[in-house]
Coordinates of all heavy atoms in Angstrom, one line a residue:
K1 N -43.1 -45.7 -106.4 CA -43.0 -45.0 -107.6 C -43.3 -43.5 -107.4 O -42.9 -42.7 -108.3 CB -43.9 -45.6 -108.7 CG -43.3 -47.0 -109.2 CD -44.2 -47.6 -110.2 CE -43.8 -48.9 -110.7 NZ -44.7 -49.6 -111.5
D2 N -44.2 -43.2 -106.5 CA -44.7 -41.9 -106.3 C -43.9 -41.0 -105.3 O -44.0 -39.8 -105.3 CB -46.1 -41.9 -105.7 CG -47.1 -42.5 -106.7 OD1 -46.8 -42.4 -108.0 OD2 -48.2 -42.8 -106.4
V3 N -43.0 -41.6 -104.5 CA -42.3 -40.9 -103.5 C -41.2 -40.0 -104.1 O -40.7 -40.3 -105.1 CB -41.7 -41.8 -102.4 CG1 -42.8 -42.4 -101.5 CG2 -40.8 -42.9 -103.0
H4 N -40.8 -39.0 -103.3 CA -39.8 -38.0 -103.8 C -38.8 -37.8 -102.7 O -39.0 -38.2 -101.5 CB -40.5 -36.7 -104.1 CG -41.5 -36.8 -105.3 ND1 -42.8 -37.0 -105.0 CD2 -41.3 -36.7 -106.6 CE1 -43.5 -37.0 -106.2 NE2 -42.6 -36.9 -107.1
T5 N -37.7 -37.1 -103.0 CA -36.7 -36.9 -102.0 C -37.3 -36.1 -100.8 O -38.2 -35.3 -100.9 CB -35.6 -35.9 -102.7 OG1 -35.1 -36.6 -103.8 CG2 -34.5 -35.6 -101.7
D6 N -36.8 -36.5 -99.6 CA -37.2 -36.0 -98.3 C -38.6 -36.5 -97.9 O -39.1 -36.1 -96.8 CB -37.2 -34.5 -98.3 CG -35.8 -34.0 -98.4 OD1 -34.9 -34.7 -97.9 OD2 -35.6 -32.9 -98.9
D7 N -39.3 -37.4 -98.7 CA -40.5 -38.0 -98.2 C -40.1 -38.9 -97.1 O -39.0 -39.4 -97.0 CB -41.2 -38.7 -99.3 CG -42.0 -37.8 -100.2 OD1 -42.1 -36.5 -99.9 OD2 -42.5 -38.2 -101.2
L8 N -41.1 -39.2 -96.2 CA -40.9 -40.1 -95.0 C -42.0 -41.2 -95.1 O -43.2 -40.9 -95.1 CB -40.9 -39.3 -93.7 CG -40.9 -40.1 -92.4 CD1 -39.7 -41.0 -92.3 CD2 -41.1 -39.2 -91.2
I9 N -41.5 -42.5 -95.0 CA -42.5 -43.6 -94.8 C -42.3 -44.1 -93.4 O -41.2 -44.5 -93.0 CB -42.2 -44.7 -95.9 CG1 -42.4 -44.1 -97.3 CG2 -43.2 -45.9 -95.7 CD1 -41.9 -45.1 -98.4
I10 N -43.4 -44.2 -92.7 CA -43.4 -44.7 -91.3 C -44.2 -46.0 -91.3 O -45.3 -46.0 -91.8 CB -44.0 -43.7 -90.3 CG1 -43.2 -42.4 -90.3 CG2 -44.0 -44.3 -88.9 CD1 -43.8 -41.3 -89.4
C11 N -43.6 -47.1 -90.8 CA -44.3 -48.4 -90.6 C -43.9 -48.9 -89.3 O -43.0 -48.5 -88.6 CB -44.0 -49.3 -91.7 SG -42.2 -49.7 -91.9
S12 N -44.7 -49.9 -88.8 CA -44.5 -50.4 -87.5 C -43.2 -51.2 -87.4 O -42.5 -51.2 -86.3 CB -45.7 -51.3 -87.1 OG -45.8 -52.4 -87.9
E13 N -42.8 -52.0 -88.4 CA -41.6 -52.7 -88.4 C -41.2 -53.1 -89.8 O -42.0 -53.1 -90.7 CB -41.7 -54.0 -87.6 CG -42.8 -54.9 -87.9 CD -43.1 -56.0 -86.9 OE1 -42.1 -56.7 -86.5 OE2 -44.2 -56.2 -86.6
L14 N -39.9 -53.5 -90.0 CA -39.4 -53.7 -91.3 C -40.1 -54.9 -92.0 O -40.3 -54.9 -93.2 CB -37.9 -54.0 -91.2 CG -36.9 -52.9 -91.1 CD1 -35.5 -53.4 -91.1 CD2 -37.1 -51.9 -92.3
S15 N -40.6 -55.9 -91.2 CA -41.2 -57.0 -91.8 C -42.5 -56.7 -92.5 O -43.0 -57.5 -93.3 CB -41.5 -58.1 -90.7 OG -42.5 -57.6 -89.8
R16 N -43.0 -55.5 -92.2 CA -44.3 -55.1 -93.0 C -43.9 -54.7 -94.4 O -44.8 -54.8 -95.3 CB -44.9 -53.8 -92.3 CG -45.4 -54.0 -90.8 CD -46.4 -55.1 -90.7 NE -45.9 -56.4 -90.5 CZ -46.5 -57.5 -90.9 NH1 -47.6 -57.6 -91.4 NH2 -45.9 -58.7 -90.6
L17 N -42.7 -54.4 -94.7 CA -42.3 -54.0 -96.1 C -42.2 -55.3 -97.0 O -42.5 -55.3 -98.1 CB -40.9 -53.3 -96.1 CG -40.8 -52.0 -95.3 CD1 -39.5 -51.5 -95.4 CD2 -41.8 -51.0 -95.9
G18 N -41.8 -56.4 -96.4 CA -41.7 -57.7 -97.2 C -41.3 -58.8 -96.2 O -40.9 -58.6 -95.1
R19 N -41.4 -60.0 -96.8 CA -41.1 -61.2 -96.0 C -39.7 -61.7 -96.1 O -39.2 -62.4 -95.2 CB -42.1 -62.3 -96.3 CG -43.5 -62.1 -96.0 CD -43.8 -61.9 -94.6 NE -43.6 -63.1 -93.9 CZ -43.6 -63.2 -92.5 NH1 -43.6 -62.2 -91.8 NH2 -43.4 -64.4 -92.0
S20 N -39.1 -61.4 -97.2 CA -37.7 -61.9 -97.3 C -36.7 -60.7 -97.1 O -37.0 -59.5 -97.4 CB -37.5 -62.5 -98.7 OG -37.4 -61.5 -99.7
L21 N -35.5 -61.1 -96.6 CA -34.5 -60.1 -96.4 C -34.1 -59.4 -97.7 O -33.9 -58.2 -97.8 CB -33.3 -60.8 -95.8 CG -32.1 -59.8 -95.5 CD1 -32.5 -58.8 -94.5 CD2 -30.9 -60.7 -94.9
F22 N -34.1 -60.2 -98.8 CA -33.7 -59.7 -100.1 C -34.6 -58.6 -100.6 O -34.3 -57.6 -101.0 CB -33.7 -60.8 -101.1 CG -33.2 -60.5 -102.5 CD1 -31.9 -60.1 -102.7 CD2 -34.0 -60.5 -103.6 CE1 -31.5 -59.7 -103.9 CE2 -33.6 -60.2 -104.8 CZ -32.3 -59.8 -105.0
M23 N -36.0 -58.9 -100.4 CA -37.0 -57.9 -100.8 C -36.9 -56.6 -100.0 O -36.9 -55.5 -100.5 CB -38.4 -58.5 -100.7 CG -39.5 -57.5 -101.1 SD -41.1 -58.1 -100.9 CE -41.3 -59.2 -102.3
I24 N -36.7 -56.8 -98.6 CA -36.6 -55.6 -97.8 C -35.4 -54.8 -98.2 O -35.4 -53.6 -98.2 CB -36.6 -56.1 -96.3 CG1 -37.9 -56.6 -95.9 CG2 -36.2 -54.9 -95.4 CD1 -37.9 -57.3 -94.6
M25 N -34.3 -55.4 -98.4 CA -33.0 -54.7 -98.7 C -33.2 -54.0 -100.0 O -32.7 -52.9 -100.1 CB -31.8 -55.7 -98.9 CG -31.4 -56.2 -97.5 SD -29.9 -57.2 -97.6 CE -30.1 -58.3 -98.9
N26 N -33.9 -54.6 -101.0 CA -34.1 -53.8 -102.3 C -35.0 -52.6 -102.0 O -34.7 -51.5 -102.6 CB -34.8 -54.8 -103.3 CG -33.8 -55.7 -104.0 OD1 -32.6 -55.4 -104.0 ND2 -34.2 -56.8 -104.4
I27 N -36.0 -52.7 -101.2 CA -36.9 -51.6 -101.0 C -36.1 -50.5 -100.3 O -36.1 -49.3 -100.7 CB -38.1 -52.0 -100.1 CG1 -39.0 -52.9 -100.9 CG2 -38.8 -50.9 -99.6 CD1 -40.1 -53.6 -100.1
L28 N -35.3 -50.9 -99.2 CA -34.5 -49.9 -98.5 C -33.5 -49.2 -99.4 O -33.3 -48.0 -99.4 CB -33.9 -50.5 -97.3 CG -34.9 -51.0 -96.2 CD1 -34.1 -51.7 -95.1 CD2 -35.7 -49.9 -95.6
A29 N -32.8 -50.0 -100.2 CA -31.8 -49.4 -101.1 C -32.4 -48.5 -102.1 O -31.9 -47.4 -102.4 CB -31.1 -50.6 -101.8
H30 N -33.6 -48.8 -102.6 CA -34.3 -48.0 -103.5 C -34.7 -46.6 -102.9 O -34.4 -45.6 -103.5 CB -35.6 -48.7 -104.0 CG -36.5 -47.8 -104.8 ND1 -36.3 -47.4 -106.1 CD2 -37.7 -47.1 -104.4 CE1 -37.3 -46.6 -106.5 NE2 -38.1 -46.4 -105.5
C31 N -35.2 -46.7 -101.7 CA -35.6 -45.5 -100.9 C -34.3 -44.6 -100.6 O -34.4 -43.4 -100.8 CB -36.3 -45.9 -99.7 SG -38.0 -46.5 -100.0
L32 N -33.3 -45.3 -100.2 CA -32.1 -44.5 -99.8 C -31.5 -43.8 -101.1 O -31.0 -42.7 -101.0 CB -31.1 -45.4 -99.1 CG -31.5 -45.9 -97.7 CD1 -30.5 -46.9 -97.2 CD2 -31.5 -44.7 -96.8
S33 N -31.5 -44.5 -102.2 CA -31.0 -43.9 -103.4 C -31.8 -42.7 -103.9 O -31.3 -41.8 -104.6 CB -30.9 -45.0 -104.5 OG -32.2 -45.3 -105.0
M34 N -33.1 -42.7 -103.5 CA -34.0 -41.6 -103.9 C -34.0 -40.5 -102.8 O -34.7 -39.5 -103.0 CB -35.4 -42.1 -104.2 CG -35.5 -43.0 -105.4 SD -37.2 -43.4 -105.7 CE -37.8 -41.7 -106.1
G35 N -33.4 -40.7 -101.7 CA -33.4 -39.7 -100.6 C -34.7 -39.8 -99.8 O -35.1 -38.8 -99.2
V36 N -35.4 -40.9 -99.8 CA -36.6 -41.1 -99.1 C -36.3 -41.8 -97.8 O -35.5 -42.8 -97.7 CB -37.6 -42.1 -99.9 CG1 -38.8 -42.4 -99.1 CG2 -38.0 -41.3 -101.2
K37 N -36.8 -41.3 -96.7 CA -36.5 -41.8 -95.4 C -37.6 -42.9 -95.0 O -38.8 -42.8 -95.3 CB -36.6 -40.7 -94.3 CG -35.4 -39.7 -94.5 CD -35.6 -38.6 -93.6 CE -36.4 -37.6 -94.3 NZ -36.4 -36.2 -94.0
I38 N -37.1 -43.9 -94.3 CA -38.0 -44.9 -93.8 C -37.7 -45.1 -92.3 O -36.6 -45.3 -91.8 CB -37.8 -46.3 -94.4 CG1 -38.2 -46.3 -95.9 CG2 -38.6 -47.4 -93.7 CD1 -38.2 -47.6 -96.6

């Protein structure tokens, strides 16, 4: 909710974002729509 365009989130692997593919895809789609890089 706090990130802005051109912010960058770095994590060790995608599985850290969520356990299900559906959840990870929603997170990535949300970030890409806001211009946030992962």
Side-chain angles (χ1 to χ4, degrees):
K1 289 179 183 173
D2 291 342
V3 289
H4 299 92
T5 302
D6 293 328
D7 283 350
L8 170 61
I9 300 172
I10 301 175
C11 58
S12 63
E13 56 189 312
L14 279 179
S15 67
R16 298 299 88 207
L17 299 176
R19 294 297 292 166
S20 73
L21 180 61
F22 184 67
M23 181 183 281
I24 293 170
M25 287 189 311
N26 280 334
I27 292 167
L28 296 177
H30 171 77
C31 289
L32 290 171
S33 70
M34 293 187 64
V36 174
K37 295 174 273 207
I38 295 186

